[in-house]
């Protein structure tokens, strides 16, 4: 089968064996997979970074190599460094397709079912994937595979909103209107919230407004903090969700300043985090961090072994978030098609990554 592989900063398509179906997993013939610009491009760039730069950025890796040299000799240590440099990486974490085989202990899916799949350890850009049961959800016939393939991004956006505990009528600021910001703005509107979106790109702002966002602010147009204050009658936003990606510390500082007293800031994106105490202390701002797409993420028993959390204790797991995102699309509360700009066959993966980079 064909699969996208990253090596030394470059993607290419290789012919590899189809994955072996394990107990508790579902074999899926993919129809569509979604390129995540932020996460995947970061991984590609990281694979091209020279070893010496990685060592400076991650000094703990130097200690690991020194430990190997001490325990097993310099030859083994050098081989470890070389193998790491030459390593190939699988990429992709959001896809949709059709079930073609079921592993043992799967009794709630059938061959021929249409499913959306998540997980960086499963949902690769490939013709076939074998995915754990808790990382796939059924999709109805009325939902196209393209929209369903954004399942991971949608679940992340949904969990970011849940972390902020929105209530009807609150005003939210979404900082960054890439795909995560666009989905976040739409889901907040479905929650009955007013949404102010901020971005460096007028096209993204116009797109979000056309999809229901209330106000858009370009970072160069005005004093964004003062503008948010005017829109909120001087109170400030009830909550700010950061979906931007930047090394700048100014983004999180601005988020604190936009909030009303006792407001909430949720970090979904990847930004600089050198915090200034004065920005949040006097207002008693709650600063919340998002870990991917819900409870269960990074829990091997949940993701690998299929052990669910009881709904009476954990209402929204990552699987239940995925299912709810599907319902939001089917019910018309989230529009995905306008956010899809281009499509590529898997053979043209290199061109696809070049386009989004």
């Amino acid at each position: 089968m064909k699969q996208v592989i990253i090596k030394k900063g470059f993607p290419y398509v290789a012919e590899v064996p189809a994955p072996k179906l394990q107990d508790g997993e579902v074999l899926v013939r993919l129809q569509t997979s979604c390129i995540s610009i932020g996460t995947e491009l970061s991984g590609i760039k990281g694979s091209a970074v020279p070893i010496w730069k990685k060592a400076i950025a991650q000094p703990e890796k130097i200690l690991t190599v020194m430990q190997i040299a001490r325990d097993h000799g310099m030859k083994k240590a050098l081989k470890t460094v070389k193998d790491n440099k030459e390593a190939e990486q699988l990429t992709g974490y959001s896809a949709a397709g059709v079930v073609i085989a079921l592993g043992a202990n799967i009794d709630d899916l059938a061959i021929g079912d249409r499913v959306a799949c998540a997980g960086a350890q499963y949902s690769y850009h490939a013709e076939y994937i074998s995915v754990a049961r808790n990382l796939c959800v059924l999709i109805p016939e009325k939902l196209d595979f393209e929209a369903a393939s954004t399942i991971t991004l949608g679940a992340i956006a949904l969990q970011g909103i849940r972390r902020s505990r929105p209530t009807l009528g609150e005003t939210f600021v979404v900082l960054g209107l890439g795909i995560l910001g666009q989905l976040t703005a739409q889901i907040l509107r479905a929650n009955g919230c007013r949404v102010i979106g901020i971005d460096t790109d007028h096209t993204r702002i116009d797109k979000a407004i056309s999809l229901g966002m209330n106000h858009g602010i370009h970072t160069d147009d005005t004093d964004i903090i003062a503008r948010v204050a005017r829109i909120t009658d001087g109170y400030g936003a009830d909550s700010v969700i950061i979906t931007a990606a930047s090394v700048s510390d100014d983004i999180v500082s601005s988020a604190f300043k936009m909030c009303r007293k006792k407001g909430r800031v949720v970090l979904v994106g990847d930004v600089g985090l050198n915090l200034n105490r004065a920005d949040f202390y006097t207002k008693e701002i709650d600063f919340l961090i998002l870990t991917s797409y819900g409870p269960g993420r990074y829990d091997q028993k949940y993701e690998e072994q299929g052990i669910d959390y009881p709904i009476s204790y954990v209402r929204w797991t990552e699987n239940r978030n995925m299912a709810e995102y599907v319902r939001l699309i089917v019910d018309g509360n989230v529009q995905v098609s306008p956010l899809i700009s281009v499509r590529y066959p898997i053979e043209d993966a290199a061109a696809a990554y070049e386009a989004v980079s």
Side-chain angles (χ1 to χ4, degrees), residues 84-232:
N84 179 270
K85 183 180 178 180
E86 300 291 330
E88 297 177 333
Q89 301 175 19
L90 305 181
T91 185
Y93 73 150
S94 193
V98 178
V99 175
I100 59 172
L102 301 170
N105 304 319
I106 302 292
D107 55 11
D108 57 346
L109 291 175
I111 293 174
D113 281 345
R114 306 167 81 249
V115 292
C117 310
Q121 71 273 48
Y122 292 112
S123 300
Y124 306 121
H125 299 303
E127 291 184 293
Y128 299 91
I129 61 171
S130 185
V131 58
R133 175 63 188 90
N134 277 346
L135 287 171
C136 63
V137 294
L138 279 168
I139 58 176
E141 289 293 335
K142 65 175 68 175
L143 180 60
D144 63 82
F145 286 114
E146 286 188 354
S149 72
T150 64
I151 188 76
T152 302
L153 297 168
I156 291 171
L158 184 54
Q159 181 63 16
I161 292 169
R162 294 199 192 287
R163 290 286 284 154
S164 192
R165 306 179 305 277
T167 60
L168 186 67
E170 285 193 314
T171 298
F172 274 67
V173 173
V174 178
L175 271 173
L177 292 173
I179 181 64
L180 278 176
Q182 297 282 345
L183 294 174
T184 298
Q186 291 190 53
I187 298 170
L188 283 168
R189 289 293 292 144
N191 260 286
C193 299
R194 289 184 290 275
V195 182
I196 304 166
I198 300 175
D199 200 87
T200 59
D201 187 334
H202 283 293
T203 303
R204 290 178 172 183
I205 293 170
D206 293 341
K207 176 68 71 176
I209 288 176
S210 73
L211 295 173
M213 189 175 73
N214 301 91
H215 304 276
I217 303 173
H218 192 279
T219 52
D220 293 338
D221 289 347
T222 183
D223 180 338
I224 59 176
I225 297 168
R227 180 77 179 277
V228 169
R230 286 196 296 273
I231 293 173
T232 58

Side-chain angles (χ1 to χ4, degrees), residues 9-330:
F10 294 97
Y12 69 97
V13 178
E15 285 287 344
V16 301
K20 184 178 179 181
L21 185 62
Q22 304 290 332
D23 292 352
E25 293 183 357
V26 180
L27 188 63
V28 179
R29 182 178 68 249
L30 291 188
Q31 301 296 312
T32 310
S33 58
C34 176
I35 293 180
S36 166
I37 294 177
T39 301
E40 293 189 58
L41 288 191
S42 176
I44 290 175
K45 292 175 183 176
S47 70
V49 174
I51 289 293
W52 67 269
K53 284 190 176 181
K54 290 183 179 180
I56 292 174
Q58 299 175 301
E60 69 276 6
K61 298 294 179 64
I62 297 178
L63 296 177
T64 300
V65 173
M66 291 174 64
Q67 182 73 34
I68 294 172
R70 187 181 68 183
D71 296 343
H72 304 284
M74 184 58 70
K75 185 176 180 180
K76 175 68 173 179
L78 292 174
K79 184 179 185 302
T80 299
V81 172
K82 181 181 179 181
D83 290 346
N84 179 270
K85 183 180 178 180
E86 300 291 330
E88 297 177 333
Q89 301 175 19
L90 305 181
T91 185
Y93 73 150
S94 193
V98 178
V99 175
I100 59 172
L102 301 170
N105 304 319
I106 302 292
D107 55 11
D108 57 346
L109 291 175
I111 293 174
D113 281 345
R114 306 167 81 249
V115 292
C117 310
Q121 71 273 48
Y122 292 112
S123 300
Y124 306 121
H125 299 303
E127 291 184 293
Y128 299 91
I129 61 171
S130 185
V131 58
R133 175 63 188 90
N134 277 346
L135 287 171
C136 63
V137 294
L138 279 168
I139 58 176
E141 289 293 335
K142 65 175 68 175
L143 180 60
D144 63 82
F145 286 114
E146 286 188 354
S149 72
T150 64
I151 188 76
T152 302
L153 297 168
I156 291 171
L158 184 54
Q159 181 63 16
I161 292 169
R162 294 199 192 287
R163 290 286 284 154
S164 192
R165 306 179 305 277
T167 60
L168 186 67
E170 285 193 314
T171 298
F172 274 67
V173 173
V174 178
L175 271 173
L177 292 173
I179 181 64
L180 278 176
Q182 297 282 345
L183 294 174
T184 298
Q186 291 190 53
I187 298 170
L188 283 168
R189 289 293 292 144
N191 260 286
C193 299
R194 289 184 290 275
V195 182
I196 304 166
I198 300 175
D199 200 87
T200 59
D201 187 334
H202 283 293
T203 303
R204 290 178 172 183
I205 293 170
D206 293 341
K207 176 68 71 176
I209 288 176
S210 73
L211 295 173
M213 189 175 73
N214 301 91
H215 304 276
I217 303 173
H218 192 279
T219 52
D220 293 338
D221 289 347
T222 183
D223 180 338
I224 59 176
I225 297 168
R227 180 77 179 277
V228 169
R230 286 196 296 273
I231 293 173
T232 58
D233 298 324
Y235 294 113
D238 295 290
S239 181
V240 178
I241 298 181
I242 301 172
T243 51
S246 171
V247 297
S248 173
D249 302 315
D250 293 338
I251 293 176
V252 71
S253 176
S254 296
F256 290 138
K257 293 173 182 177
M258 291 174 191
C259 280
R260 62 168 172 81
K261 189 170 184 178
K262 296 185 180 293
R264 296 99 64 196
V265 173
V266 177
L267 180 60
V268 176
D270 184 6
V271 299
L273 284 175
N274 289 312
L275 305 182
N276 179 8
R277 186 171 183 267
D279 290 340
F280 55 86
Y281 174 74
T282 56
K283 289 184 180 179
E284 292 187 308
I285 303 295
D286 288 337
F287 185 39
L288 303 159
I289 307 298
L290 174 75
T291 301
S292 203
Y293 33 101
R297 190 69 180 117
Y298 308 116
D299 180 348
Q300 187 177 22
K301 290 183 178 179
Y302 178 90
E303 291 191 336
E304 312 288 338
Q305 300 177 26
I307 301 174
D308 199 4
Y309 304 146
I311 194 170
S312 54
Y313 292 95
V314 184
R315 178 61 184 91
W316 295 108
T317 61
E318 59 181 333
N319 184 271
R320 290 192 271 271
N321 273 337
M322 291 165 63
E324 183 57 30
Y325 176 65
V326 168
R327 282 189 286 270
L328 285 167
I329 301 175
V330 171

